[in-house]
Amino acid sequence: MILLLVPLLVPFALGPLARRSLDRLGPVAALWSVTLALVVLAAASVASLGALVLTGLLKVPFLAGLGELVHPLRTASDLVVLPAAAAATGVLTVGAWTVVRSALRQFRAFRTARSQADRRPAAGDLCVIESPHPDAYALPGRPHRIVVTTAMLRSLGADEREALFAHERAHNAAGHHRFLVVAELAAHCHPGLRSVRATVALAAERAADEAAAVVVGDRRLTARAIARAALAIGEARSERPGFAPAATTGPVPQRVAALLSAPRRRPRAAARIAVLLAACAVLSAGASGAGVIEFHHEVEVAQGEAVR
């Protein structure tokens, strides 16, 4: 049972590591590394929670009979197992409910945005929507769209618009919406992974920032376009789906500062943070796998199919 607790503790360490990875690994490498670690830790925590729930259920005589247990399931004291199983059940139930609620909300927002974009003529991948509210975002789907409102177009100069469009095209080209969807799902699997969701979103924006700067050939222009777009939107609430990336997402001042400063290469620091991220994933997956195998063996023993 102790092994099953390790994957429930490791996710709390991922948040600080993920935030440091942005500067040490670079946006693209950080996006991939953090997302992969996030997936492994989320899966390991769900597997551990599931094993804890089953352990508690098999302590109930009726359910133990249905499981064909001929011997009592050998575990730690019921004073430990049953509260742990109850807590795991609560976490899984709340997580499942919030995932369904979030998925329905995001699906409705995506369907509305997609329908709105498909009803308007597009110039290539660009779709302009008449609206007094400034907004711009990359809309995934077939085909990909860059949705921008007339108010946003009026807020930017011609060169700034090109930088903004290059940023959104970078999102669609790299499939950043997939990373955002994965981060959203993982955030509901464990409370310690919720803060990592924002880091994944920031890494996606930083990656698109760098790609846009390469396309327009001017980091300062890209920074100015992002800053002016963010100021135009202000505190207005956008109706776009949460997984539709936008140039105004995340801590814009931090992103602008990164564009205006020269990229720093620190191979040793990058190697250290990469090793730590990999270690978290390996430790969590290994402990979860070993814990589930041990639980399965104890069930077989209780069923009389294996020796202790």
Side-chain angles (χ1 to χ4, degrees):
M1 181 175 172
I2 294 178
L3 286 173
L4 295 176
L5 297 179
V6 173
L8 304 181
L9 298 175
V10 175
F12 291 106
L14 184 61
L17 286 176
R19 288 190 291 271
R20 292 174 184 170
S21 69
L22 264 177
D23 293 328
R24 290 162 174 78
L25 293 177
V28 176
L31 180 62
W32 278 96
S33 301
V34 172
T35 303
L36 289 174
L38 187 65
V39 169
V40 173
L41 265 64
S45 64
V46 169
S48 295
L49 289 170
L52 288 173
V53 170
L54 290 176
T55 300
L57 291 177
L58 291 177
K59 285 290 185 177
V60 179
F62 174 72
L63 296 177
L66 291 179
E68 299 180 349
L69 302 189
V70 296
H71 306 292
L73 186 65
R74 187 178 62 177
T75 63
S77 170
D78 288 356
L79 296 177
V80 176
V81 171
L82 295 182
T89 302
V91 171
L92 286 177
T93 301
V94 171
W97 164 246
T98 56
V99 162
V100 172
R101 187 177 61 179
S102 176
L104 291 175
R105 183 175 65 251
Q106 296 290 345
F107 177 74
R108 286 194 296 265
F110 173 74
R111 186 174 58 182
T112 299
R114 192 76 214 186
S115 175
Q116 189 179 40
D118 290 342
R119 286 199 304 266
R120 285 166 172 75
D125 61 350
L126 184 63
C127 177
V128 179
I129 295 177
E130 184 71 36
S131 173
H133 305 293
D135 201 5
Y137 55 90
L139 184 64
R142 294 185 179 180
H144 292 321
R145 294 287 189 213
I146 298 172
V147 179
V148 60
T149 64
T150 52
M152 178 62 81
L153 293 178
R154 289 192 293 267
S155 301
L156 304 177
D159 54 350
E160 294 167 343
R161 294 174 194 167
E162 291 305 316
L164 181 68
F165 298 158
H167 176 100
E168 305 302 352
R169 287 192 177 100
H171 278 312
N172 281 334
H176 287 161
H177 62 282
R178 297 186 180 93
F179 294 90
L180 300 183
V181 169
V182 168
E184 177 68 22
L185 292 175
H188 296 283
C189 295
H190 191 285
L193 300 177
R194 291 174 186 169
S195 63
V196 186
R197 175 174 47 189
T199 304
V200 170
L202 177 57
E205 293 305 325
R206 287 276 305 278
D209 291 343
E210 295 295 332
V214 171
V215 170
V216 301
D218 190 337
R219 297 177 68 86
R220 187 171 294 274
L221 169 61
T222 305
R224 187 172 71 246
I226 291 169
R228 291 194 63 180
L231 288 173
I233 291 179
E235 299 297 328
R237 181 176 180 272
S238 175
E239 296 183 356
R240 63 175 174 263
F243 58 82
T248 55
T249 301
V252 173
Q254 181 180 338
R255 292 168 49 204
V256 169
L259 281 169
L260 295 179
S261 61
R264 294 178 295 174
R265 297 185 181 277
R266 293 185 288 179
R268 291 184 179 178
R272 283 196 297 268
I273 202 72
V275 168
L276 288 174
L277 286 171
C280 283
V282 171
L283 175 62
S284 188
S288 178
V292 169
I293 291 173
E294 181 183 6
F295 166 73
H296 183 262
H297 176 71
E298 292 299 334
V299 171
E300 288 184 328
V301 170
Q303 290 174 334
E305 298 178 1
V307 296
R308 295 184 186 275

